[in-house]
Each structure stands twice: as C-alpha cells, then as structure tokens.
Amino acid sequence: MGSRALDAAGARTSDDLAGLLRALRRRHARHQGGGELTYRQLAVRTGWSHTAIAEYLTGKTLPPTDRLDALVRILGATPAEQGALATARDRIAESRRRAPRGPHRMVPRQLPADVATLVGRDDELAVLDTLVAAPTAVVIAAISGTAGVGKTALAVHWAHRVADRFDDGQLYVNLRGFDPLGRALSAAKALHCLLDALGVPAARVPTDLDAQAALYRSALARRRILLVLDDARDAEQLRPLLPGTPTAMVLVTSRNQLTSLVGLDGAHPIPLGPLTRDAAFRLLTDRLGAQRMAAEPEAAEAIITACARLPLALSVVAARVQQSGFPLATLATQLGTTGHRFGVPGADDRAGGLRAVSTPLTPPTVGLARPTGAHPATDRYADALGHLETALDLYVRACDVEGQAATWDSLGFAHHHLGQYDRAVECYERTLALTRELGDRWGEAATLSRLGDTRCALGDPTAGRADWQRALDIFTALDHPDAATVRTRLHLP
C-alpha cells in the first residue's frame, strides 16, 4: 500500500479490520527500515498476551476500542487513520449486535478418549447414574483416591457413557493440582479456558476473578453441560469453576477427599480404593488374554500383589508384557526385587508397587537367540524403550514424581546400553532434577554416578569425573557402600 493512507471506509468484518492492521504493520516496518513487529514484540509493548495480539491481527477477535487505539498508535497510524479505524471498529461491533443468531453453534466436546478397560467400578458407576437423574441443584461428584487408583479413568468413562444427556456439550480441564513441578492451574487460567470453549471472546473476559466467575456462570446458565475437573488440589481451586444452575453437572477428581467441598458445596463423595483381587485379575485378563493368564496363574497373582491392585500399575505391567513378549514369571520376579531397590517396604505399599513397574525388564536366560542374528541384550534394551515411554506417560498423568524419576533413570540406562549416549545424558539429567525435587539423596548420587559413566563414554571424561565426585560426596555423607565403587572409578584409595 506504499505510504498511502489506509482506507477503512469499506471495513465490514473483523477480518477486514485485521487486514488493515496487518497493512499498517507492514507500512510501519518499511518506514522503520526493519522487519515487521512480531506478536511477541507487540505483546511486550502493550502488556497484553501473545494470544490476544494474534487474535486481533488475524480477525479472530474484535479488539476493544481502547486496545485498538493503543495498537494503531504503536503501528504508526496518523490521527486521521486512528479515527477512521475506530469508526470502522464501532461499525463492525454494531453490525454484530444487530445480526440474527445463526441456527448452528459450536458445541464443546472436550472429553479425552475413553479408557480401553474399566473393571471393578460397577458400584461407583451406579452412584453416578443415580446422581444424574432429575437434579434440582448443581450436582457435584467428588471422586477421590490415591495416585494410580483410576479416578480419571472412572470419570472419563462415565462421562462418555452419559454424554448424550448433555446436548450442550462436555468440558474438560486438567487442573494439575498435584503437578510434580508445582504448576497447578490457577482458577483464573481455568476460567479463561472454559470461557473460550464456551465461545466467549478473550476481549470480553474481565481481569477480576469474581467477575470472570460471574461471566462463566452466565455463559453456562440454562445449558445442559457436563464439566470434568480433573486432578484438583483443593476446594479453593474449584469453587470459582462451579456452575450456578442445575442444568450443569460437575465431576471432580482429586487425591484429597475435598471435605470442604462436600460440607459446604454439597458435593457427593465417591472414594476409590484399590481393585478387588478378582477385578485386578479381570483387568489383566482383558489386556493379556485368558490363555496367557491361565498358563501362569501364580505369576499373575504375584504381579497383582506387587502392583497393590492399582489399575494404573496393572495397566503399565500389561503394556510391558505385550511389548516385550516375556513370560509373566519374568516380570513377577523383577517386580519382587525392584521394590527393594526403590525403598519399598513391602508389597502392600501402593506407591511403591506403582513405581516398581517402571524399571527395565531382565529377560529370561532361555529362548533369546535371534525373536535375525541381533545381539540379545541390544534387542532387550530396544524393546524396553517402548514400554518405558508408555510407563512415563502414565506416571505423568498420575502426577507420580517418584515413578517419573524411576522411568527416566531406566530410559537413560537403556539408551546408554544402546550406545545412544546423548539421549542417555538427557534422560539422566531429567532423573537428576526429579530426585533433587524429591529430596532423594541416594537417588541423586546413583544418578550422578551413571551420568558420569555416560559422559565418559561420550568422550567427556572431565565432566564425567565431576559427576562421579559429586556422587562420591553424597555417598560418603550417607555412609553408603556405593562410595567404594565410585572411589575406584576416580582411582582414589
């Protein structure tokens, strides 16, 4: 457009206005003799979000009058152009208000994929079925239980089962209440996500939390909506997200019992415990097949006990068996010894049972001749990567930091033995960060020792010796016998 004045008279839609803003940005760049201001640069100059800038310049959102004025001044609009653009903006807003509503609108369908297998939860499903029938107030179901017990699986499965009752949509938010890095989703951010899903433009969302919650309740009024709030930290995080009319239903999951939500907000508690032995056996049978379970019944029982009847742990085990092809007895033996490595006091320790399944499988000594001429150990570690990555994903979803640390450690071990040293270093560094977060001094020292081995194999002995020295310092402070092994590596007496 050269240096000609912008012609805003013909702008009739937000796309037209966005085109003018982009033309203004290009002209500004030419005048300044540089590149166009990026969304990030504009966000810094205005103090607005990167997303808001993008929405204004792509026509997704019509900017408020004050923001339009500020933006066009930054982009070098003349006073006459500022006035013309403001008039165009008001004209577009007025035409929107007068336009009749279309017969179709976007209906949010945000539920994650349903679980492949849900067993042993018939009683809880029956309670939820009762709650959804003819409510006279907002129904809140609070599903609580330890990590890995299947809270999210139950909530998502039931939500899919009754989705057709909520014809205005289903909303889902992961509140990350027990995020390992402490990055729980604030109520304000959750409200922004929910309002966006309900079609409320970002420009209309106020900055005050109470005003956001009021706008949210207005947007939900008279809508048949199912809301799944996953992994809540506490009632305070949840309250601004609760609807105000009985046409909406809320499913909450949390490791906490949310007593305050039950007592003050009328939530219905649905506590989850480990599966019964029969349900745990059925879960493994569904995943592995009746023939395989019948062939090794004692090993199957040992696996169920080691996993403390937790659905998540059992699912990880099933994935490992399916991917590795090893007998159940091999994994049962591995689980029986691995727990002690991670300080698990016994098979009844639920978190320990979950963490134990993330370590690499030790293959049987018979029958490994090559499922090609490839080296058996190499094949084992290559096969391990798939089920370890599956385990990592499950531990992240369960917010189990110790399980994540153990799995990153196992991934590093596997990559090291495959000669993929760069990748092994990355994995061990992730392990190191998590062990320090957990305050696990022995785990930190053990990881440093393996990290030193890998750096030396990578051709960086200086860094490797530094890692070994830090490991030695910790082992010595703990009076741990592994200090002797590290001394040998450092050629110390």
Side-chain angles (χ1 to χ4, degrees), residues 19 21 40 123 146 167 250 272 284 361 423 441 445 476:
L21 293 176
R40 189 174 302 280
D123 291 344
T146 190
D167 51 6
V250 184
L272 284 190
L284 285 180
L361 280 172
R423 186 72 181 101
R441 296 286 282 163
T476 302

Side-chain angles (χ1 to χ4, degrees), residues 274-337:
L275 297 173
T276 64
R277 178 266 169 202
D278 288 344
F281 194 90
R282 192 160 69 252
L283 187 154
L284 285 180
T285 301
D286 288 346
R287 297 290 297 271
L288 301 177
Q291 183 176 357
R292 193 164 196 175
M293 295 288 284
E296 300 182 81
E298 292 182 0
E301 293 290 349
I303 288 172
I304 289 170
T305 300
C307 291
R309 293 178 279 120
L310 290 170
L312 178 60
L314 290 166
S315 296
V316 173
V317 168
R320 296 184 67 178
V321 171
Q322 289 171 314
Q323 292 174 329
S324 68
F326 295 154
L328 297 183
T330 301
L331 184 54
T333 301
Q334 186 80 2
L335 292 176
T337 57

Side-chain angles (χ1 to χ4, degrees), residues 198-216:
L198 292 168
V200 178
R204 285 189 54 203
V205 179
T207 57
D208 179 72
L209 180 62
D210 290 339
Q212 290 173 1
L215 178 62
Y216 166 68

Side-chain angles (χ1 to χ4, degrees), residues 208-277:
D208 179 72
L209 180 62
D210 290 339
Q212 290 173 1
L215 178 62
Y216 166 68
R217 290 191 295 272
S218 297
L220 283 180
R222 297 183 299 280
R223 291 195 189 187
R224 288 286 295 164
I225 288 279
L226 178 61
L227 176 63
V228 180
L229 301 174
D230 198 14
D231 194 29
R233 182 183 61 244
D234 51 36
E236 295 308 309
Q237 185 188 27
L238 289 166
R239 283 201 175 95
L241 313 180
L242 300 179
T245 56
T247 55
M249 179 174 179
V250 184
L251 275 181
V252 176
T253 74
S254 179
R255 294 189 197 179
N256 291 329
Q257 292 184 340
L258 302 175
T259 303
S260 172
L261 199 73
V262 173
L264 299 179
D265 300 278
H268 300 267
I270 302 180
L272 284 190
L275 297 173
T276 64
R277 178 266 169 202

